[in-house]
Amino acid sequence: MLSKYPSRSGSFSASYGGKRLHSSFSPEREAERYIQTELPEVPRTVILIGPGLGYLIRAISDRRPESRIVSMFLSSECHRNAVTLGDAAWHPMSGTDPAAFLSSALDEIETSSLTVLEWPPSASCFSDEANQVRSAVTEVVRRHQASLLTEGANGRRWFSNLVRNFSSLVRPVAPQPDKSNRVSACVIATAGPSLEEGLETIIPVRSGFSLWVTGSALDAVLARGLEPNLIISTDAAVYASEYLRAAVVDRGRCCPIAAPLTASRGIGDTAPVWPLSHGDPVESMFYEHLSIGPTSVPAHGTVTGTAIHLALAFQQWPVVVTGMDFAWHGSRSHARPHVSETYRALAGSRITPPLTALYRQSVDMVELPDAWRVSRALQVYARWFERMTSGAGRRIHRLLPSPSAGAIPVIDPASLSALPRRFHELAFAPVDWPDRAERRDAIHAVTERCRRVLRPLTESRERSPLDPIQAFLLRRLAPDGLIKWHLTDSPTQLRSAARAAEEALSLLGGAIP
């Protein structure tokens, strides 16, 4: 029970279980001294773990009013009695998981200038809650920083892919139920090492379910004589097109690809494509020029997340995932055959053979039973998937046990084959799409609109908040400049970032096919 009482300065102090949370003399002065010591320079964003009654929040705001404070209260009583809450606040009775709260409260760019600060007396009083919050903060910050690095590496490619695929798509399609064909479930094949065993177990019952395959698992699926009903691809990187070679190059294969237009270049040159959208502002500008809207899916860190979301949204069938391991098995990161094996062999030499490169990747991993290995990054994604799938009730299963994300229930092949065929198979119908000239005009219109959005920033002389489209364009086209501005608050850095984004737009616009 929280005990609240007046301090000698007149403000309230508190204790919990005989341990004090704040000074009995002056909680405000105590907080000010602590912040002066721990935060000599207050950053743009602070995550405060266990702020007690909120005096530390006030001390940070007094030193830098524009600093954004995310408060992680370790006690709902402290939250209820706090003198201030900060810009966003969580507490144990708020009804949401701390990691889920942080994912929505923190923008990825904020992790570039973020400090995490903990109030020791609060952590001592509520040690279990503190451990839970520390784990959540570590997980979310790592995931956000990884996403930011990915955007920095692929931002301009994302835009060029969007332009290229919008211009060259030849067979857009939309899903519809095939009422003449009933199935029992949707099986999603992903490229983890256990996929090899998983595919062997489902071959005898293949006719009973719809088979969806992520791009990186396609070669392994085709090598075992299985034809998918749908391929899902979201990766913008150059190598991602290699995953889809069998679907794009083989003109006789008519399996559709579900993908955002920002995915790897050339996905729609020959194959039918089910257009997806992550709801990004520039994507939305392109779709304004179409007579149909895309299928909207939330942006996920992995293609597996997108595939699961699509399957759950299409109809109420059970969704069974195989190959979702979040771990290596021995020296294998993926099911075989996989394009990475080919390129790893080509990149190897007498001095650095392929196995040396694999060893370097896996040496820091944690050893698990049965030759499994897991890295910190894979553990972060496994925990995220457990939370993401927890809201789907019993609709999501995995085909084989895995060392990670163990909360997802397992269904054995016999139970899978015994499920009643109550659901319609997936079918696709062609949709209208602008002709090439109309698409070219749309591309010019969108790039010009983006330039107009950026133009005020190239002339900015003072700090002003970015609107969502400006922030998005800078993240995609000038991430380094955006991070420098976020760290320095300098209008000069903002102008420089905006000009770099404008220049990138000009280069990309000039490359319209």
Side-chain angles (χ1 to χ4, degrees):
M1 176 70 72
L2 185 73
S3 176
K4 186 179 172 186
Y5 52 88
S7 69
R8 292 190 182 181
S9 67
S11 56
F12 278 100
S13 185
S15 63
Y16 183 86
K19 298 179 180 179
R20 71 171 186 85
L21 278 171
H22 296 289
S23 167
S24 300
F25 294 90
S26 176
E28 297 97 332
R29 183 58 188 150
E30 177 188 45
E32 289 168 5
R33 286 197 300 267
Y34 185 74
I35 295 303
Q36 286 171 0
T37 302
E38 298 296 324
L39 289 180
E41 293 186 9
V42 178
R44 175 78 68 86
T45 306
V46 179
I47 297 178
L48 195 51
I49 297 177
L53 296 184
Y55 294 110
L56 280 83
I57 301 172
R58 183 178 286 171
I60 294 171
S61 295
D62 287 346
R63 295 196 65 201
R64 186 174 178 179
E66 71 274 18
S67 183
R68 186 166 184 268
I69 304 170
V70 179
S71 307
M72 305 298 290
F73 285 87
L74 304 181
S75 159
S76 296
E77 287 184 279
C78 287
H79 174 270
R80 189 165 55 249
N81 289 281
V83 295
T84 185
L85 298 177
D87 298 283
W90 176 89
H91 61 93
M93 299 296 289
S94 60
T96 184
D97 177 84
F101 165 79
L102 286 166
S103 294
S104 61
L106 279 178
D107 189 273
E108 289 167 358
I109 195 67
E110 289 183 296
T111 60
S112 65
S113 58
L114 173 73
T115 292
V116 180
L117 188 64
E118 184 176 291
W119 179 230
S122 189
S124 175
C125 289
F126 310 101
S127 57
D128 291 344
E129 291 83 355
N131 288 334
Q132 181 189 18
V133 169
R134 288 189 201 106
S135 177
V137 169
T138 300
E139 175 187 338
V140 171
V141 169
R142 282 179 177 164
R143 193 171 69 238
H144 276 13
Q145 289 179 338
S147 180
L148 198 60
L149 287 171
T150 301
E151 284 190 9
N154 293 314
R156 295 191 181 191
R157 184 176 297 116
W158 172 94
F159 198 100
S160 65
N161 289 354
L162 176 58
V163 170
R164 169 68 163 75
N165 290 329
F166 181 83
S167 175
S168 62
L169 195 63
V170 295
R171 298 169 65 190
V173 295
Q176 59 186 26
D178 181 357
K179 297 185 177 180
S180 65
N181 188 5
R182 288 185 176 271
V183 294
S184 61
C186 174
V187 173
I188 300 175
T190 69
S194 71
L195 177 62
E196 297 179 26
E197 182 183 352
L199 292 175
E200 296 300 328
T201 65
I202 63 175
I203 287 174
V205 294
R206 168 64 184 92
S207 62
F209 56 82
S210 184
L211 179 59
W212 294 16
V213 179
T214 62
S216 57
L218 182 59
D219 284 346
V221 170
L222 296 178
R224 287 158 179 82
L226 295 169
E227 284 289 333
N229 298 96
L230 180 68
I231 302 165
I232 305 97
S233 179
T234 59
D235 202 330
V238 174
Y239 61 79
S241 60
E242 289 294 309
Y243 295 152
L244 303 174
R245 182 177 292 276
V248 174
V249 174
D250 185 353
R251 294 176 182 269
R253 180 166 280 116
C254 60
C255 178
I257 302 172
L261 297 182
T262 54
S264 56
R265 297 179 63 158
I267 52 169
D269 289 1
T270 58
V273 171
W274 172 10
L276 308 179
S277 172
H278 289 148
D280 294 332
V282 179
E283 270 188 315
S284 300
M285 292 182 196
F286 276 97
Y287 281 112
E288 287 173 6
H289 293 267
L290 304 178
S291 59
I292 59 144
T295 300
S296 295
V297 292
H300 290 284
T302 67
V303 63
T304 301
T306 298
I308 290 174
H309 179 90
L310 275 179
L312 291 173
F314 184 70
Q315 59 184 331
Q316 292 296 309
W317 52 10
V319 176
V320 181
V321 189
T322 181
M324 189 172 68
D325 300 317
F326 305 105
W328 286 36
H329 191 258
S331 61
R332 291 189 293 118
S333 58
H334 295 86
R336 298 164 296 190
H338 191 271
V339 70
S340 65
E341 294 177 312
T342 303
Y343 285 98
R344 194 177 287 128
L346 290 172
S349 67
R350 182 177 60 81
I351 299 173
T352 55
L355 285 177
T356 299
L358 281 173
Y359 174 77
R360 287 172 179 167
Q361 282 184 273
S362 63
V363 68
D364 292 328
M365 290 185 172
V366 177
E367 296 280 351
L368 300 176
D370 300 322
W372 288 99
R373 299 180 180 191
V374 65
S375 67
R376 287 182 178 179
L378 291 171
Q379 288 174 319
V380 166
Y381 275 116
R383 287 193 293 269
W384 178 80
F385 263 88
E386 285 185 333
R387 285 197 308 276
M388 185 195 80
T389 57
S390 63
R394 300 288 295 178
R395 289 183 60 199
I396 298 179
H397 302 78
R398 63 188 332 146
L399 193 60
L400 297 169
S402 170
S404 296
I408 301 174
V410 176
I411 185 171
D412 61 83
S415 299
L416 174 61
S417 63
L419 292 173
R421 298 191 182 188
R422 298 189 297 111
F423 305 97
H424 297 299
E425 178 59 277
L426 199 65
F428 290 90
V431 297
D432 292 332
W433 202 254
D435 62 32
R436 192 171 290 272
E438 290 172 325
R439 280 179 272 172
R440 189 179 182 87
D441 289 343
I443 292 168
H444 282 297
V446 170
T447 51
E448 181 53 38
R449 183 174 169 185
C450 289
R451 288 191 191 97
R452 290 198 302 270
V453 168
L454 290 170
R455 201 157 293 143
L457 301 181
T458 64
E459 302 165 357
S460 175
R461 297 293 172 184
E462 57 185 31
R463 190 185 186 285
S464 57
L466 303 178
D467 70 36
I469 300 179
Q470 289 172 335
F472 180 82
L473 288 170
L474 291 181
R475 284 174 62 157
R476 293 294 190 183
L477 301 177
D480 291 343
L482 178 61
I483 290 172
K484 288 178 182 177
W485 170 69
H486 202 79
L487 290 169
T488 63
D489 267 345
S490 166
T492 302
Q493 291 290 357
L494 180 58
R495 291 196 299 273
S496 177
R499 287 166 184 159
E502 260 198 329
E503 182 181 348
L505 275 174
S506 298
L507 292 172
L508 294 169
I512 297 172

